[in-house]
Amino acid sequence: MMRRVGILGGMGPEATVLVMQKVLAAVHADDDAGHIPLIVDQNPQVPSRIRHLIEGVGVDPAPVLADMARRLVAGGAEALAMPCNTAHHYAPAILAAVDVPFLDMVALAADRAAELAGSGGRVGILASPAVRKVGLFDTPLTARRLTPLYADDDEALLAAIRRIKAEGPCHAARQALRNASTGLAARGACVQMIACTEFSLIGNAVADRVTALDTLDCLVQAIVAFAASGPINALMRFNCLQKQ
C-alpha cells in the first residue's frame, strides 16, 4: 500500500499544482489505486518569504509553516514535502513541529548536482535573491566540493518571479531566465539548478548546452520513493535527509 505524503503548498499555487502533476506522471498505474495518496495544504496565505528575507519587513512564515505541517500530519500524512526552495530556510520550524520525515528538496538537489557536475564543479543557481541572501544551497554544495554561482542580476530574476506569480509563464520571464542562464554558462556553470518553483514552470528557457537540474524533479523522485517504501527504508531516508 502506498504511504501518504503531505504537501506544504501555495508557494506559489501554480507550482504546487505542477508538483502534483509531476508525481502523477511519475507513477505507472493501471487504475486509481496505483497512484500516490497526497494530502495538500494549498495555502497561498503563507507570509511572503521575499518580504521577510529580502525586504526585512514581512511576517515570519515559520509559525504558519509549522501549523501547516501539524495539520497535514493530523490528517494522515506520513512524510512531508514542500515545493518551494526559499521556504526551506524555515525547515527547522517544520522539523520541530512534527515527528514524520521531511523530504528535503535542498539536500536532494545538492546530491544530484554533485552527480552531474563532479567534484570541483561549478553549479549555477537560478533562484530568488532570497536564496542567495540566506545561503540556502551554499553549505550543501560546498560540502559536496562544488562551487555555487549566482546570476549577476538579482532584480531581473526577482521581477521574473513576481511576473510569473501575477501572470503565469510569459515571454518576459522566459527571457529573464534565459539571460541569467546564459551569463552563468559564460562563467563556467554548465550545470545549473532551477531552484525556484516558479522557474520550474519555464524550465525549458535555460541557455543552450546547459545541463539543467530542476530541484522540483528531485523532490518528486523522493516523494515517489518514500510512498513506495516500507517502514525501515522510510526511516533510513528520514535520517539521511535530516543530515545536512
Side-chain angles (χ1 to χ4, degrees):
M1 179 178 292
M2 290 285 192
R3 297 159 65 86
R4 291 183 179 88
V5 177
I7 306 294
L8 291 92
M11 304 168 281
E14 197 167 355
T16 304
V17 173
L18 179 61
V19 77
M20 294 170 66
Q21 291 173 332
K22 284 178 173 284
V23 169
L24 188 68
V27 176
H28 299 287
D30 294 328
D31 58 24
D32 295 350
H35 284 285
I36 293 171
L38 299 175
I39 306 174
V40 181
D41 190 343
Q42 177 76 299
N43 184 8
Q45 303 306 313
V46 176
S48 170
R49 286 69 58 204
I50 290 173
R51 285 181 58 80
H52 186 244
L53 295 175
I54 297 179
E55 300 172 7
V57 296
V59 175
D60 185 358
V64 176
L65 293 172
D67 284 344
M68 291 170 66
R70 294 186 192 99
R71 288 198 299 270
L72 288 166
V73 172
E78 298 169 79
L80 298 177
M82 184 163 59
C84 176
N85 291 270
T86 307
H88 275 66
H89 176 67
Y90 307 100
I94 296 169
L95 289 169
V98 295
D99 293 325
V100 302
F102 176 74
L103 305 181
D104 188 336
M105 182 163 61
V106 172
L108 290 161
D111 284 341
R112 181 61 178 147
E115 293 173 1
L116 293 174
S119 180
R122 296 183 176 186
V123 177
I125 301 175
L126 297 162
S128 161
V131 165
R132 183 213 289 258
K133 183 172 183 178
V134 302
L136 188 66
F137 285 95
D138 291 5
T139 297
L141 289 177
T142 56
R144 292 160 176 81
R145 299 184 179 180
L146 300 170
T147 299
L149 295 181
Y150 294 89
D152 293 325
D153 193 344
D154 280 347
E155 289 303 316
L157 287 183
L158 184 57
I161 292 168
R162 285 174 166 156
R163 187 178 291 272
I164 293 169
K165 286 181 180 292
E167 304 173 17
C170 61
H171 175 74
R174 290 179 184 277
Q175 190 59 54
L177 186 64
R178 187 169 185 83
N179 290 344
S181 177
T182 299
L184 287 169
R187 292 159 56 195
C190 294
V191 173
Q192 298 179 11
M193 298 173 67
I194 299 172
C196 173
T197 47
E198 267 69 47
F199 291 154
S200 295
L201 296 164
I202 56 171
N204 59 0
V206 297
D208 297 334
R209 294 183 294 279
V210 162
T211 299
L213 154 66
D214 193 333
T215 61
L216 195 61
D217 289 336
C218 296
L219 184 61
V220 168
Q221 291 171 7
I223 290 170
V224 173
F226 177 88
S229 69
I232 294 178
N233 287 337
L235 181 60
M236 291 172 62
R237 179 173 293 279
F238 178 42
N239 290 339
C240 175
L241 292 180
Q242 288 196 81
K243 293 177 182 178
Q244 194 81 316

